[in-house]
Amino acid sequence: MADLDDIRDGSNFGLGQEVKKEGYYLKGMNNTDWGLKNRMSRIFNQESGRSVMLAFDHGFLMGATSGLERIDLNIAPIIEYADCIMGCRGMIRSSIPTTTTKPVCLRTDTGTTILTEMNHNVLISEEEAIRMNVSAMAAMLAIGDDATEALTIANFSRLVDIGNKYGIPVMGVTAVGKDMARDARYFGLASRVCAENGASIVKTYYTEGFEKVVASCPVPVVIAGGKKLPELEALELCYKAIQCGASGVDMGRNIFQSEAPIPMMKAVAGVVHNDLNPTDAFQLFNDEKAKG
Ligand code: 5RP
């Protein structure tokens, strides 16, 4: 029961002061719900507006690929250097400590190992995503393949409906058919289709002309790293993407297959958050590596 004595009437109503209107810092998000924005704010650094997401979802298609044989040994120790972690529910549940406070972007679709690139029409349930306290959900949207394009778009759209219902951002993971050039035209098309279907984040690949991919996508774009490159080249890739307007990376192999994953994560973060050029970032990588 409320106290009846010593009731203090309010006196500090800020009369004459306008209620602050929030200008949200991430593009395309102004008209989204509080919960969705709050989750995005956990993923994207509020000073740089960018994110270093660590992807380790590869196993659902590729099995125990190099660097992901033991998520508990190879990934768990490095997540503290990422802004967000991206993986599949089984690996997160079994191998990532529940004590982590890193936001989780959960790989929500699944596929077969036969069609290695194209995923089908399976999504995990919203109850499962909420139970895992996710900050975002990711699913592939693949264009250019007769057999799968419609399925992945339907799947993706369904995930956006779920995400919007619960205020959970959805990240579209772009893929293009084997007959399509892996260029700005087609990654731009796939990115735009993700955004048109309600993605809050789009994950795609850096290509020449990337500034057009970013400009025509109204929500934050992050890049995958792709296959393992020498560290300097991977840092150049990040730098070029950031300079073209990318909002960060969702990078896997170029981090966990690096000879020094933590120094690499720090160097990538230098590029993403501090606009370090590739030479300085590579120097940072080497300095951190030398510390052992
Ligand atoms: C494409 C993916 C990959 O599994 C992965 O996240 C890509 O990361 P990288 O290319 O940096 O290793 O999302 O389905």
Side-chain angles (χ1 to χ4, degrees):
M1 187 175 154
D3 287 337
L4 292 179
D5 53 352
D6 195 22
I7 294 171
R8 299 184 187 191
D9 285 335
S11 59
N12 186 12
F13 293 99
L15 298 180
Q17 287 177 44
E18 271 193 44
V19 175
K20 224 179 181 173
K21 292 190 195 77
E22 186 182 341
Y24 194 66
Y25 69 108
L26 297 173
K27 75 173 183 175
M29 295 295 120
N30 263 330
N31 299 326
T32 61
D33 189 68
W34 193 96
L36 193 142
K37 285 198 187 97
N38 184 253
R39 289 186 170 93
M40 291 290 277
S41 306
R42 302 189 65 211
I43 299 170
F44 289 89
N45 180 295
Q46 291 174 40
E47 273 166 35
S48 66
R50 299 174 186 153
S51 183
V52 176
M53 303 170 74
L54 174 64
F56 52 93
D57 58 328
H58 309 55
F60 85 105
L61 294 174
M62 295 154 79
T65 186
S66 171
L68 294 184
E69 301 89 339
R70 288 280 303 269
I71 304 270
D72 60 329
L73 297 181
N74 305 336
I75 297 297
I78 69 175
I79 62 177
E80 69 177 283
Y81 302 96
D83 297 313
C84 176
I85 57 173
M86 183 219 184
C88 299
R89 59 176 162 173
M91 303 319 283
I92 292 175
R93 208 171 244 139
S94 61
S95 310
I96 299 293
T98 49
T99 46
T100 186
T101 52
K102 292 290 168 187
V104 170
C105 176
L106 186 66
R107 183 89 205 199
T108 314
D109 56 350
T110 188
T112 69
T113 57
I114 305 161
L115 286 169
T116 47
E117 270 298 331
M118 306 299 181
N119 293 333
H120 275 114
N121 51 354
V122 185
L123 287 177
I124 70 167
S125 69
E126 53 264 53
E127 289 88 351
E128 180 73 332
I130 292 165
R131 192 178 295 126
M132 293 194 71
N133 195 28
V134 304
S135 292
M137 303 185 289
M140 183 175 282
L141 189 149
I143 59 161
D145 186 297
D146 283 352
T148 49
E149 176 166 324
L151 285 174
T152 63
I153 292 177
N155 210 31
F156 187 78
S157 223
R158 198 153 58 83
L159 186 61
V160 172
D161 284 345
I162 293 170
N164 285 349
K165 189 165 172 194
Y166 297 101
I168 304 175
V170 169
M171 181 166 84
V173 179
T174 59
V176 300
K178 28 186 190 320
D179 299 328
M180 284 177 161
R182 292 169 67 82
D183 63 11
R185 180 165 181 211
Y186 290 113
F187 281 123
L189 172 61
S191 299
R192 181 60 177 255
V193 174
C194 285
E196 297 269 354
N197 281 287
S200 294
I201 311 168
V202 172
K203 172 175 177 172
T204 192
Y205 290 86
Y206 174 81
T207 56
E208 282 300 311
F210 197 64
E211 63 281 2
K212 292 186 202 143
V213 176
V214 175
S216 57
C217 185
V219 296
V221 174
V222 296
I223 60 153
K227 67 177 183 354
K228 174 74 177 71
L229 299 167
E231 276 74 5
L232 178 58
E233 283 176 39
L235 294 167
E236 282 165 354
L237 182 83
C238 295
Y239 182 75
K240 287 193 272 187
I242 293 295
Q243 297 312 305
C244 285
S247 298
V249 300
D250 182 26
M251 195 171 251
R253 286 162 288 181
N254 277 291
I255 290 179
F256 60 71
Q257 290 178 354
S258 167
E259 53 182 298
I262 292 174
M264 188 57 182
M265 194 101 91
K266 290 182 177 174
V268 170
V271 174
V272 169
H273 294 305
N274 305 322
D275 290 294
L276 280 194
N277 65 43
T279 313
D280 290 347
F282 190 52
Q283 185 64 49
L284 176 64
F285 169 75
N286 283 323
D287 291 347
E288 290 293 325
K289 198 172 71 165
K291 286 185 197 163

